[in-house]
């Protein structure tokens, strides 16, 4: 399985090249085009590799992801599927190694082979305060993980401490711990700063950060649109 | 239009095709009226020209690319309605519907059949991939920019009933034969679905 990304960073699109009988699992509605020999199956909530029924529910309601995922399998020879996100931005591949983990922000996951398992990591109470979805998909196993970003991607290999806005985080590797905190010392100042909540990372690992914030974009554009008709 | 030099005149006319007969003009008029009424774009086009010549600068409304395609005599290119930007020479654009099924599901595939000799300018939302098809190829209807008239196409759902309802992929277009399909990397419907929950009120 090979991922090739074109039209970076604004209009990125990834071609997933599949060998005979290889399968890629992708988020619903990511498919743009495919060769005729690709078999599509909508893996429902009972599929074990996506975490079973409750796994699906958890992913849908907590992970900001869709309840159903599609699997694309190349039959009778090689084939390809192209995938792209809805919004403007780059796509990236993280090579997940055995015994390592990757935590992916809800809307950023696009696709991975069957050798990668996904689960929703419950973030406890600290996720609730942020207002922005602070539920991470926890990827384990091995293989390439395809993600999308809103805007361009900054890759940060951290050894120490860094503060990241919750809306700008794409993914991070195990080895990093984080705490959620207010952007400024006081509640009122935090509110006025427009920064909301931030994540304070410590440890050693890799961070992927996106240069735009979808929630902020939604607020600026949404406000400019005409109100809904009753 | 973005800018034009003053020597150029602009004339607005109904996009019924230049050699259109009376019946086609009437049809185009009603389609234009209907589209105007339903809030879609109109089928009126602007013609730029003048004896002294000049320059006109054009740009589409969405973020993306513009490609140029030269049409030779007898060559046909189908262009998705929103992707048609401009043409030169005697290229005609006729309205074609992609079949009844495309009217369901909101992903209307409305095509312009472009024929004639000249340059055709086609815009996309996102980047454009040229896919040489020899055999069969499947594209989400919302991502089609244009395709050669030599290709056959049919609109269908992606898999079984479950996939149709839950896959989130809507309708796809299955191309067969030999020719090129132009595919865009973004989809306006997807952006609209993303923005809809953010509307005020």
């Amino acid at each position: 399985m090979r991922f090739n990304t074109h039209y970076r960073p604004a209009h990125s699109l990834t071609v997933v090249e599949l060998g005979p009988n290889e399968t890629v699992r992708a988020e619903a509605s990511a498919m743009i085009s495919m060769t005729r020999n690709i078999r599509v199956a909508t893996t429902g909530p009972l599929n074990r590799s996506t975490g079973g029924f409750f796994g699906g529910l958890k992913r849908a309601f907590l992970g900001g992801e869709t309840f159903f995922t599609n699997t694309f399998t190349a039959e009778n020879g090689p084939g390809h599927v192209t995938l792209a996100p809805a919004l403007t931005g780059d796509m990236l591949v993280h090579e997940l190694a055995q015994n390592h983990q990757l935590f992916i922000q809800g809307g950023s996951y696009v696709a991975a082979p069957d050798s990668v398992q996904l689960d929703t990591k419950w973030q406890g109470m600290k996720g609730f305060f942020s207002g922005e979805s602070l539920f991470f998909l926890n990827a384990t196993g091995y293989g390439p993980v395809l993600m999308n970003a809103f805007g361009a991607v900054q890759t940060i290999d951290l050894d120490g401490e860094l503060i990241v806005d919750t809306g700008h985080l794409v993914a991070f590797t195990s080895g990093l711990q984080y705490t959620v905190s207010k952007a400024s010392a006081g509640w009122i100042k935090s509110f006025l700063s427009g920064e909301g909540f931030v994540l304070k990372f410590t440890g050693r690992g890799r961070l992927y950060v996106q240069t735009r914030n979808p929630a902020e974009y939604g607020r600026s554009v949404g406000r400019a649109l005409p109100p809904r008709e009753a | 239009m973005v800018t034009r030099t003053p020597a150029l005149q602009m004339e607005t006319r109904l996009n019924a095709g230049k050699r259109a007969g009376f019946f086609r003009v009437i049809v185009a008029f009603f389609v234009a009226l209907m589209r105007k009424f339903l809030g879609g774009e109109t089928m009126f086009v602007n013609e730029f020209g003048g004896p002294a010549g000049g320059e006109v600068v054009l740009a589409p409304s969405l973020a993306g690319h513009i490609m140029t395609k030269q049409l030779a005599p007898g060559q046909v290119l189908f262009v998705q309605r929103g992707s048609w930007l401009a043409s030169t020479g005697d290229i005609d654009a006729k309205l074609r519907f992609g079949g009844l099924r495309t009217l369901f599901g909101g992903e209307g595939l409305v095509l312009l059949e472009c024929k004639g000799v000249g340059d055709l300018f086609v815009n996309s939302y996102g980047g454009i991939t040229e896919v040489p098809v020899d055999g069969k190829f499947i594209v989400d209807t919302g991502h089609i920019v244009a395709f050669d008239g030599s290709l056959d196409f049919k609109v269908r759902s992606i898999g079984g009933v479950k996939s149709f309802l839950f896959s989130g992929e809507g309708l796809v277009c299955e191309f067969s034969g030999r020719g090129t399909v132009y595919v865009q990397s973004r989809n306006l419907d997807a952006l609209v679905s993303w923005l809809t929950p953010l509307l005020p009120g």
Side-chain angles (χ1 to χ4, degrees):
Chain A
M1 184 177 309
R2 281 224 320 269
F3 291 131
N4 291 318
T5 304
H6 305 275
Y7 317 118
R8 305 176 67 172
H11 301 304
S12 61
L13 164 149
T14 298
V15 182
V16 185
E17 290 185 42
L18 296 171
N21 301 316
E22 257 189 330
T23 295
V24 69
R25 212 169 54 226
E27 276 312 298
S29 83
M31 194 280 293
I32 290 183
S33 68
M34 61 188 194
T35 49
R36 185 64 184 85
N37 65 325
I38 301 285
R39 184 167 45 87
V40 185
T42 302
T43 50
L46 294 171
N47 188 290
R48 290 206 54 190
S49 64
T50 52
F53 183 81
F54 289 104
L57 268 180
K58 241 161 78 175
R59 278 165 19 87
F61 291 105
L62 304 182
E65 292 291 304
T66 41
F67 191 68
F68 292 87
T69 58
N70 296 324
T71 60
F72 298 89
T73 308
E75 291 182 317
N76 315 315
H80 77 253
V81 185
T82 61
L83 305 170
L87 293 175
T88 296
D90 208 352
M91 296 176 92
L92 65 149
V93 175
H94 178 86
E95 280 293 336
L96 187 64
Q98 192 85 58
N99 300 323
H100 285 70
Q101 293 179 51
L102 183 71
F103 297 93
I104 309 165
Q105 164 94 306
S108 299
Y109 168 76
V110 180
D114 272 345
S115 57
V116 174
Q117 290 86 45
L118 289 168
D119 191 19
T120 307
K121 183 148 173 80
W122 171 247
Q123 296 305 307
M125 288 305 283
K126 59 186 177 182
F128 271 122
F129 295 113
S130 74
E132 295 165 49
S133 77
L134 239 200
F135 295 98
F136 297 116
L137 295 175
N138 183 10
T140 52
Y142 63 94
V145 182
L146 180 67
M147 294 173 281
N148 66 258
F150 187 40
V153 182
Q154 197 188 4
T155 303
I156 302 166
D157 286 313
L158 185 68
D159 185 4
E161 281 191 351
L162 190 72
I163 290 165
V164 181
D165 187 290
T166 49
H168 285 272
L169 183 73
V170 175
F172 61 95
T173 58
S174 49
L176 292 171
Q177 290 83 44
Y178 72 90
T179 53
V180 184
S181 61
K182 306 184 292 288
S184 192
W187 284 98
I188 293 170
K189 275 190 181 153
S190 286
F191 179 72
L192 293 175
S193 73
E195 298 296 344
F197 287 83
V198 294
L199 299 169
K200 189 174 173 186
F201 284 95
T202 50
R204 259 185 96 158
R206 175 169 279 191
L207 274 166
Y208 296 104
V209 172
Q210 57 193 4
T211 58
R212 292 290 179 279
N213 180 334
E216 237 168 60
Y217 173 73
R219 277 193 293 274
S220 358
V221 177
R223 203 187 297 139
L225 293 171
R228 244 175 258 278
E229 285 170 40
Chain B
M1 189 199 77
V2 182
T3 64
R4 73 170 195 260
T5 49
L8 288 182
Q9 273 98 53
M10 188 182 93
E11 210 180 300
T12 304
R13 64 171 181 81
L14 205 57
N15 192 17
K18 278 173 211 143
R19 292 175 299 273
F22 176 73
F23 178 69
R24 202 154 257 293
V25 171
I26 298 293
V27 169
F29 178 73
F30 279 107
V31 168
L33 211 66
M34 211 171 71
R35 298 203 62 81
K36 185 97 191 155
F37 183 67
L38 295 172
E41 59 210 276
T42 61
M43 284 301 294
F44 290 98
V45 293
N46 297 321
E47 244 173 32
F48 300 91
E55 184 188 77
V56 59
V57 176
L58 305 171
S61 55
L62 292 175
H65 290 201
I66 298 173
M67 70 169 195
T68 317
K69 174 106 180 148
Q70 282 177 331
L71 290 192
Q75 203 181 348
V76 174
L77 190 77
F78 286 96
V79 179
Q80 169 95 290
R81 186 196 64 222
S83 293
W84 188 89
L85 182 66
S87 67
T88 64
D90 67 346
I91 292 179
D92 248 359
K94 258 188 273 173
L95 202 61
R96 277 270 302 256
F97 290 96
L100 196 64
R101 302 179 75 165
T102 67
L103 297 176
F104 301 104
E107 290 191 35
L109 183 65
V110 182
L111 299 165
L112 295 171
E113 186 181 343
C114 300
K115 215 190 291 186
V117 180
D119 288 329
L120 192 59
F121 299 93
V122 175
N123 63 256
S124 66
Y125 181 30
I128 301 177
T129 310
E130 273 185 41
V131 185
V133 176
D134 187 3
K136 284 188 167 173
F137 194 69
I138 293 162
V139 183
D140 185 294
T141 52
H143 287 272
I144 297 167
V145 175
F147 57 91
D148 284 338
S150 57
L151 288 166
D152 284 327
F153 68 99
K154 71 175 188 248
V155 176
R156 61 171 178 86
S157 64
I158 195 171
V161 174
K162 191 167 139 198
S163 290
F164 180 69
L165 293 175
F166 303 119
S167 70
E169 301 294 356
L171 294 171
V172 294
C173 201
E174 186 177 308
F175 293 98
S176 52
R178 279 183 87 147
T180 306
V181 182
Y182 302 88
V183 181
Q184 60 188 5
S185 67
R186 292 292 178 275
N187 175 343
L188 183 59
D189 287 337
L191 177 69
V192 171
S193 323
W194 190 86
L195 279 173
T196 305
L198 301 162
L199 286 172

